[in-house]
Amino acid sequence: MPPKVAVLDDYQNISPRHFAHLTSRVDISYFPDTLNPRDPAQHKQLIQRLYPFDIIVTQRERTPFSKETLSALPNLKLLLTTGTRNLALDSAYCAERGIPVAGTKYRLTGIHSTVQHAWALILGAARHIARDDAAIKRGEWQGSLGLSLAGKTLGLLGVGKLGAQVGRVAVQAFGMKVIAWSTNLTQEKADEQAEAMGLPAGSFEAIPEKLEFFRQADVVSLHNVLSERSRGIVGREELRAMKKSALLVNTSRGPLVDETALLETLNRGGIAAAALDVFETEPLAADSPWRTTAWGKDGRSEVLLTPHMGYVDEQIHGWYEEVAQNLERWLNGQEFTVRLN
């Protein structure tokens, strides 16, 4: 019998063309609907779904694979993922089991896709693009004043490679002041990141005190890695510290923000707007308050939403092509392009 392959979470049906040349060698099934292993019932469904499969192909971080999940899949022989890393996989446990984990080389084309998306959300929220588009299509005309970013303060929560690129655009395109905070950030490190972007030292100001960072920022953009330590790093206290006129933008990971606290803040109009590409649970449920609340009305804040599109562009074709290459290499007994354990 040919190896059984499960391809998960391909929302846009991109992968089949890349695996077509292997269909005579493997038995491939596609499961575009994501199951959330944090929900006990869905975790049981996930295990039942994947139990028969020898190989799992996962889109990075859409379905987490903990030791608990992996240990319930005795037939698993190979785990393939997109990206150069996938923190949602317990690759160390896979190594203990002798299950290889292979990723893909990262393809950069100009400014990183997530950086572009972060700025699309910042500008979309600041200039009310979605709201005004909908108003015009209803037959209305001007009904809001845009926020000018020139001279405003951008706060970067996390100033790694992505955060630094977002900061460079703020300085060079809009003349914004850029401040930054993360748990162990120093001014020396902030200067190193600025200089790596071709900016002079001091272009990114490290703010030592977290709440002061939130008080100063006109726009807060999140660029932090999700871990148990960083989960809920933006909570009620941080949201209360923000200016009523401020924007919160998250293209990083939904659980970095306490979702309950954010919904409370937005329902009372505590900040001007939130622009979100990531959520606690993805995809959003049909009855999610993010979908069903009349945002921007009756004193509520504006909310701009996108369906985790920060890294979703034409590069995904390249990722799936390389995943298919790794599958073919495994079938041929060859080394992977990127080995993650």
Side-chain angles (χ1 to χ4, degrees), residues 1 8 26 33 88-90 108 128 133 137-138 163 175 178 206 216 220 293 300 310 319 326:
M1 294 291 290
L8 307 185
V26 293
D33 55 318
L89 309 180
D90 192 335
L108 279 176
H128 309 298
D133 171 78
K137 291 171 181 174
R138 290 194 303 266
V178 177
Q216 289 189 30
V220 173
T293 304
R300 300 183 191 91
W319 280 352
N326 278 329

Coordinates of all heavy atoms in Angstrom, one line a residue, residues 1 8 26 33 88-90 108 128 133 137-138 163 175 178 206 216 220 293 300 310 319 326:
M1 N 0.8 -1.2 0.0 CA 0.0 0.0 0.0 C 0.9 1.2 0.0 O 1.9 1.3 0.7 CB -0.9 0.0 1.2 CG -1.9 -1.1 1.3 SD -3.2 -0.9 0.0 CE -4.1 0.5 0.7
L8 N -3.2 19.4 5.6 CA -4.1 20.1 6.5 C -4.1 21.6 6.1 O -3.1 22.2 5.7 CB -3.6 20.0 7.9 CG -3.4 18.5 8.5 CD1 -3.1 18.6 10.0 CD2 -4.6 17.7 8.2
V26 N 1.8 8.0 -3.6 CA 1.2 8.2 -2.3 C -0.3 8.4 -2.4 O -0.8 8.8 -3.5 CB 1.8 9.5 -1.6 CG1 3.3 9.3 -1.3 CG2 1.6 10.7 -2.4
D33 N -10.5 22.2 6.5 CA -11.1 22.7 7.7 C -10.3 22.5 9.0 O -10.1 21.3 9.3 CB -12.5 22.1 7.9 CG -12.5 20.6 7.9 OD1 -11.8 20.0 7.1 OD2 -13.2 20.0 8.8
A88 N 4.7 25.6 16.7 CA 3.5 24.9 17.1 C 3.7 23.4 17.0 O 2.8 22.6 17.4 CB 2.3 25.3 16.2
L89 N 4.9 23.0 16.6 CA 5.2 21.5 16.5 C 6.2 21.1 17.6 O 7.2 21.9 17.8 CB 5.9 21.2 15.1 CG 5.1 21.6 13.9 CD1 5.9 21.2 12.7 CD2 3.7 21.1 13.8
D90 N 6.0 20.0 18.3 CA 7.0 19.5 19.2 C 8.0 18.7 18.5 O 7.9 17.4 18.4 CB 6.3 18.7 20.3 CG 7.2 18.4 21.5 OD1 8.4 18.4 21.3 OD2 6.7 18.1 22.6
L108 N 12.3 35.6 0.6 CA 12.1 37.1 0.8 C 12.1 37.8 -0.5 O 13.0 37.6 -1.3 CB 13.2 37.7 1.7 CG 13.1 37.5 3.2 CD1 14.3 38.1 3.9 CD2 11.8 38.2 3.7
H128 N -9.6 54.9 7.7 CA -11.0 54.4 7.7 C -11.3 53.9 6.3 O -12.4 54.1 5.8 CB -12.0 55.5 8.0 CG -11.7 56.2 9.3 ND1 -11.6 55.6 10.6 CD2 -11.3 57.5 9.6 CE1 -11.3 56.4 11.5 NE2 -11.1 57.6 11.0
D133 N -15.2 52.9 2.2 CA -15.5 52.1 1.1 C -17.0 51.6 1.2 O -17.8 51.7 0.2 CB -14.6 50.9 0.9 CG -15.0 49.9 -0.1 OD1 -14.8 50.2 -1.3 OD2 -15.6 48.8 0.2
K137 N -20.4 52.7 -1.1 CA -21.2 51.7 -1.8 C -22.7 51.7 -1.3 O -23.6 51.2 -2.0 CB -20.6 50.3 -1.6 CG -19.3 50.2 -2.4 CD -18.5 48.9 -2.1 CE -17.2 48.8 -2.9 NZ -16.4 47.7 -2.5
R138 N -22.9 52.3 -0.1 CA -24.3 52.5 0.3 C -24.9 53.8 -0.2 O -26.1 54.1 0.2 CB -24.3 52.5 1.9 CG -24.0 51.2 2.5 CD -24.4 51.2 4.0 NE -23.7 52.3 4.7 CZ -22.6 52.1 5.4 NH1 -22.0 50.9 5.4 NH2 -22.0 53.1 6.0
G163 N 9.6 43.7 13.3 CA 9.3 44.9 13.9 C 10.3 46.0 13.4 O 9.8 47.2 13.2
G175 N 7.9 59.9 8.8 CA 8.5 60.8 9.8 C 8.0 60.6 11.2 O 7.9 61.5 12.0
V178 N 9.6 56.5 16.7 CA 9.4 55.1 17.0 C 10.0 54.7 18.3 O 11.1 55.0 18.7 CB 10.2 54.2 15.9 CG1 10.0 52.7 16.2 CG2 9.6 54.5 14.5
A206 N 14.2 52.7 23.1 CA 13.8 51.6 24.0 C 13.1 52.3 25.2 O 13.7 53.1 25.9 CB 14.9 50.8 24.4
Q216 N 2.6 56.2 25.7 CA 3.2 57.1 24.7 C 2.7 56.9 23.3 O 2.7 57.8 22.5 CB 4.7 57.1 24.8 CG 5.3 57.7 26.0 CD 6.9 57.7 25.8 OE1 7.4 57.9 24.7 NE2 7.6 57.7 27.0
V220 N 0.2 51.1 18.3 CA 1.0 50.0 18.9 C 0.9 48.8 17.9 O -0.2 48.4 17.5 CB 0.4 49.5 20.3 CG1 1.1 48.2 20.7 CG2 0.6 50.6 21.3
T293 N -20.5 41.8 16.1 CA -20.6 43.1 16.8 C -20.7 44.3 15.8 O -19.9 44.3 14.8 CB -19.5 43.3 17.8 OG1 -19.4 42.2 18.7 CG2 -19.7 44.6 18.6
R300 N -18.7 52.2 20.3 CA -17.7 51.2 20.2 C -16.6 51.7 19.3 O -16.8 52.5 18.4 CB -18.3 49.9 19.6 CG -19.4 49.3 20.4 CD -19.9 48.0 19.7 NE -21.2 47.6 20.4 CZ -22.4 47.9 19.9 NH1 -22.5 48.7 18.9 NH2 -23.4 47.4 20.6
G310 N -1.2 37.9 6.8 CA 0.1 38.6 6.8 C 1.2 37.9 6.0 O 2.0 38.6 5.4
W319 N 6.4 27.5 -1.2 CA 6.4 26.7 0.0 C 5.9 25.3 -0.3 O 6.5 24.3 0.1 CB 5.6 27.3 1.2 CG 6.3 28.4 1.9 CD1 7.6 28.8 1.7 CD2 5.8 29.3 2.9 NE1 7.9 29.8 2.6 CE2 6.8 30.2 3.3 CE3 4.5 29.4 3.5 CZ2 6.6 31.1 4.2 CZ3 4.4 30.4 4.4 CH2 5.4 31.2 4.8
N326 N 10.3 17.8 -0.6 CA 10.7 17.1 0.5 C 10.0 15.7 0.6 O 10.6 14.7 1.0 CB 10.4 17.9 1.8 CG 11.5 18.9 2.1 OD1 12.7 18.7 1.7 ND2 11.1 20.0 2.7

